[in-house]
Each structure stands twice: as structure tokens, then as C-alpha cells.
């Protein structure tokens, strides 16, 4: 009985201390305001929203209206046209070239390019398993041509079986940022991973049967580091190539083009010390491909650890026409202060600056965080930080003169993830989508790309008059 009393005494004291901590003044560390301790916040949703009302960021500015100068030097104030129900892509580009122009121009020239139009999609667990990006890729390929699933990590256990392709591998050890294995930032790829390998290491990608363009491809491109050299064999479509990769600390490639294939195998028959694989890009020779660089639990902060040499290697070996930054599930969360959210976006802006140096012509688009909900005393509601972070993301996009897409609004705003859960298109964590939900939202973004592309072609036609 004495032990029961002591346990109750300890619990009661702890609860009392936590309740009294509510009266502490705001605390700051390096300019970042820490969350207020409020043990009863879940029981008072009204107080929760009232407390944060003063923290709402200012409304982001409207994008400047583009001006068209014709061949006869006539200046036209161009008015964009967006179909009803289609979310605008807000373009904060400056000068004669808007932020999305390079991507639209690449689509316009897709049949003339000597490579596919490539999209790099950086995200967190929102696109894990190729949810959303699978259907975005498919719709772009349906409209502008192309094949292949894009980028696949060499030894990522999550990719052993996703929706349209499967990856099997042997004798590869995964090193991922913030993972359990030792991690050397200078060795990572854009996927923020690398896979230590030895002679006999291999991985195979197999496309499943289905109607998706991504289940087959004609080009397999392996990216690796081989500081002491390596011998690599690539097999697909009845063809095989064995390449001796010279010693180098930079990222190198082994590339094979074949008739349409739904299986590609990469083998190391000779691997010098320190050999590591990054992954492979599977695509067509033309058309469009989307590379999904998702990282579970990421806020996007670790992207800044990708060094300039790595970015330069990708710009040479796998150049991109559109780069999308889509984060927020691990930032706009319950308890996150405005200071923390601003700090994260400051680092995102720094990464955008790094991208501009490596990919000076690529279009860059900031994708807003999607709706995610939490349970409180009043039921299940959108986390209050979500609309705040959307506004802050748009402000950052405006400051960086890149494009912005409000996926939060496109999916229906507050409470929309709950409605998707009811339709069995989102998980019951009220955060992540199912493949059905991914297809729905990918379609909305694709419709916006089509409308933006049409505005671009109209504008260019006027310039020729």
C-alpha cells in the first residue's frame, strides 16, 4: 500500500509541475521560440486557436502579371486563364523569363530534345512508395510521351515492392542521413543515401504488369562512386554491357540503351575499396520522367548537406528541367512554433540557392504542405500550423522568385484529409494518402500544369506577332 501511495504522489507532483509550467514566459534558443507547455491544450480547442491567432504570417503577395512584348515592340499586359476548379501555379519569376518557363519550354520541345524532360521531386513520406509521384509521372507521360519509373535507390528496403516496380538486391548496405548506419554527407546522392558494395553486389528492377508507362523503359543509367575503380555489368532487353569504371571520387555512370524492357540488372564483378552504388534512373530516350526523392521523417533541412560537387555531378549526368520541393508534414506539426517553421524555410531557401548554382536554367517550384489533422477535445481538426506554414511557404517562394503551388487549397483546405479518409483515399493517421488519394491529387496538379503550359504557349504566340 505504501508503494501505491508513493506512485500516486510522484504522478500528482509531476502533473502539478507541468500545469505550473504554463505560466512560464516564452523561451527562445538562438532566436527560435520554444513551444508553450500546455498540458490541457487538447481539451480546449478554442483556446488553442486563440493563442495562435497573433502568429499568423502576413498574406503572401500576388504574383506580378507578365508582360508580353511583340516583335513590333507592342507591350501587352497578358492575362492568364485558369479553368474553374483548377488551382493556379503562382509564378514569382522576374524579368522576361518566368520561373516555370524553362519547364514549359522543355515540354514544348520534348520531341526535339536528345534526352527526356526530367522532374526531380523532393519530399518526405508523403510520396513514399511512389504515392502521388506515380500518377503524376503517368499523366505527364501520357500527355508528352516517355517511359520508365525514373530514379530508384539501389538498396532501399522500402522499394522492394512498390506499386508498379519492384527492387531486389544483395550484398548492399544502406547508409541514409539520420539513419542508424554511419553516414558520410560527402558520399550521398540527391536521394540522401548511398550503398556500400563489394564484388558480387547486385540489384534488379522489375516492372510489374499493368497499364502504367513506368513498368517498361529503354534506358538504364546506374550512378555510382568508385574511388578505386570498379567493373559493372548492366543487363536489360536482351542486351548487356560490361564497363570498367575508372578510379574517381566523383559520381560516374554506366548507361545501357536497349529495346523496351521491364527488367534491368546491375552487377559488380569487380569492386575496388570504397565502391558504393547510389541507384539507377530508368527512362525512355524522350518524353518525360519523374524522379521521386522521398525521405521518411524529413523536414528538408538535410538537403543543405548535399555538397556542390554532388549537385554538379547530377547536373551533368542527370539534368533536371523542373525541381519540386514538397515538405511540411514534419514541420507544420502540433506544437511547432512560427519561429521553427521560419527557420526550416530559411534553410529551404539556402538549398534553392544551391540548386540555382548547379541547375541555373531549371524551373523550381515550392509545393505546399497538405492537410493533416489531429484529435482534440472538439474532434478531428486540421492542425493549426498547417495554414500558417502554407502562407510562410508562399512568402518564401515569393522572396526566392520561384513558383508556388497550394496543394492544401487544391485538395480542399481544412478538413480535406478527413474527407479523403472517409472515401478510403487516405490513411487513418489523417496525414498520408493511399494510392487512390495520390492519384486524385496528382490529377489536380497535372491539370494545373496543363493550364500553366497553355498560358505559356499563348504568351509565346503573342510574342511572335
Amino acid at each position: 500500500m505504501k508503494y501505491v501511495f508513493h506512485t500516486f504522489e510522484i504522478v500528482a507532483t509531476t502533473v502539478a509541475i507541468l500545469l505550473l509550467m504554463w505560466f512560464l514566459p516564452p523561451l527562445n534558443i538562438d532566436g527560435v521560440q520554444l513551444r508553450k507547455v500546455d498540458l490541457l491544450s487538447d481539451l480546449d480547442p478554442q483556446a488553442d486557436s486563440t493563442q495562435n491567432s497573433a502568429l499568423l504570417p502576413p498574406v503572401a503577395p500576388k504574383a506580378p502579371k507578365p508582360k508580353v512584348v511583340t516583335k513590333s515592340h507592342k507591350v501587352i499586359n497578358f492575362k492568364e486563364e485558369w479553368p474553374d476548379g483548377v488551382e493556379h501555379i503562382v509564378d514569382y519569376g522576374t524579368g522576361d523569363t518566368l520561373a516555370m518557363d524553362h519547364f514549359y519550354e522543355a515540354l514544348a520541345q520534348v520531341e526535339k530534345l536528345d534526352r527526356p524532360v526530367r522532374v526531380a521531386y523532393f519530399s518526405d513520406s508523403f510520396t513514399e512508395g511512389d504515392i502521388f509521384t506515380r500518377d503524376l509521372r503517368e499523366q505527364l507521360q501520357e500527355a508528352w510521351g516517355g517511359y520508365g519509373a525514373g530514379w530508384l535507390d539501389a538498396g532501399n528496403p522500402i522499394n522492394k515492392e512498390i506499386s508498379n516496380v519492384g527492387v531486389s538486391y544483395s550484398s548492399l548496405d544502406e547508409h541514409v542521413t539520420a539513419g542508424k548506419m554511419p553516414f558520410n554527407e560527402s558520399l550521398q546522392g540527391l536521394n540522401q543515401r548511398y550503398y556500400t558494395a563489394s564484388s558480387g553486389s547486385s540489384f534488379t528492377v522489375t516492372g510489374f504488369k499493368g497499364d502504367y508507362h513506368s513498368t517498361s523503359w529503354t534506358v538504364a543509367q546506374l550512378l555510382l562512386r568508385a574511388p578505386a575503380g570498379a567493373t559493372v555489368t548492366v543487363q536489360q532487353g536482351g542486351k548487356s554491357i560490361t564497363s570498367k569504371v575508372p578510379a574517381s571520387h566523383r559520381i560516374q555512370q554506366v548507361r545501357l540503351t536497349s529495346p523496351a524492357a521491364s527488367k534491368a540488372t546491375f552487377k559488380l564483378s569487380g569492386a575496388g575499396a570504397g565502391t558504393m552504388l547510389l541507384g539507377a534512373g530508368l527512362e525512355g530516350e524522350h518524353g518525360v520522367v519523374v524522379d521521386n526523392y522521398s525521405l521518411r521523417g524529413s523536414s528538408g533541412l538535410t538537403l543543405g548537406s548535399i555538397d556542390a560537387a554532388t549537385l554538379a555531378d547530377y547536373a551533368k549526368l542527370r539534368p533536371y528541367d523542373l525541381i519540386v520541393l514538397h515538405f511540411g508534414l514534419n514541420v507544420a506539426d502540433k506544437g511547432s512554433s512560427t519561429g521553427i517553421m521560419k527557420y526550416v524555410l530559411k534553410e529551404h531557401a539556402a538549398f534553392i540557392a544551391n540548386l540555382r548554382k548547379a541547375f541555373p536554367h531549371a524551373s523550381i517550384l515550392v509545393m505546399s504542405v497538405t492537410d493533416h489533422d489531429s484529435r482534440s477535445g472538439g474532434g478531428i481538426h486540421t492542425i493549426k500550423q498547417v495554414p500558417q506554414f502554407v502562407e510562410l511557404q508562399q512568402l518564401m517562394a515569393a522572396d526566392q522568385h520561384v513558383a508556388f503551388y497550394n496543394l492544401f487549397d487544391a485538395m480542399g483546405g481544412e478538413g480535406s484529409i478527413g474527407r479523403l479518409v472517409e472515401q478510403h483515399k487516405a490513411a487513418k493517421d489523417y496525414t498520408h494518402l493511399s494510392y487512390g488519394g495520390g492519384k486524385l491529387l496528382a490529377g489536380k496538379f497535372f491539370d494545373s500544369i496543363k493550364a500553366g503550359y497553355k498560358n505559356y504557349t499563348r504568351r509565346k504566340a503573342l510574342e511572335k506577332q
Side-chain angles (χ1 to χ4, degrees), residues 310-357:
T310 297
L311 291 172
D313 288 342
Y314 272 83
K316 177 182 178 182
L317 301 174
R318 199 162 182 79
Y320 290 106
D321 301 290
L322 173 64
I323 300 173
V324 181
L325 300 182
H326 184 179
F327 295 93
L329 292 183
N330 304 291
V331 184
D333 204 358
K334 195 172 183 180
S336 294
S337 69
T338 304
I340 289 173
M341 292 189 283
K342 285 182 177 180
Y343 171 76
V344 171
L345 289 175
K346 182 179 178 182
E347 295 301 306
H348 287 188
F351 181 59
I352 288 174
N354 294 341
L355 288 173
R356 278 207 173 103
K357 292 176 183 177

Side-chain angles (χ1 to χ4, degrees), residues 125-194:
S125 58
F126 184 82
T127 61
E128 189 173 85
D130 215 20
I131 289 177
F132 181 87
T133 42
R134 178 195 74 172
D135 291 285
L136 175 62
R137 183 187 303 112
E138 176 66 18
Q139 292 175 74
L140 288 169
Q141 290 175 341
E142 183 68 22
W144 281 283
Y147 295 90
W151 179 265
L152 288 165
D153 300 326
N156 186 342
I158 295 172
N159 289 340
K160 282 189 174 181
E161 185 172 320
I162 51 181
S163 63
N164 51 352
V165 295
V167 179
S168 59
Y169 53 89
S170 64
S171 302
L172 290 172
D173 292 320
E174 183 180 50
H175 301 254
V176 57
T177 183
K180 295 180 180 179
M181 295 283 284
F183 187 76
N184 186 333
E185 292 178 346
S186 67
L187 302 180
Q188 66 184 318
L190 292 189
N191 53 343
Q192 296 188 84
R193 298 173 170 91
Y194 59 89

Side-chain angles (χ1 to χ4, degrees), residues 132 135 139 407 410-411 420 423 425 433-447:
F132 181 87
D135 291 285
Q139 292 175 74
L407 190 56
M411 69 186 292
L420 290 177
Q423 300 169 30
K425 292 182 178 179
L433 301 176
S434 66
Y435 282 105
K439 184 175 183 179
L440 176 67
L441 296 196
K444 291 182 179 295
F445 183 42
F446 174 71
D447 287 344

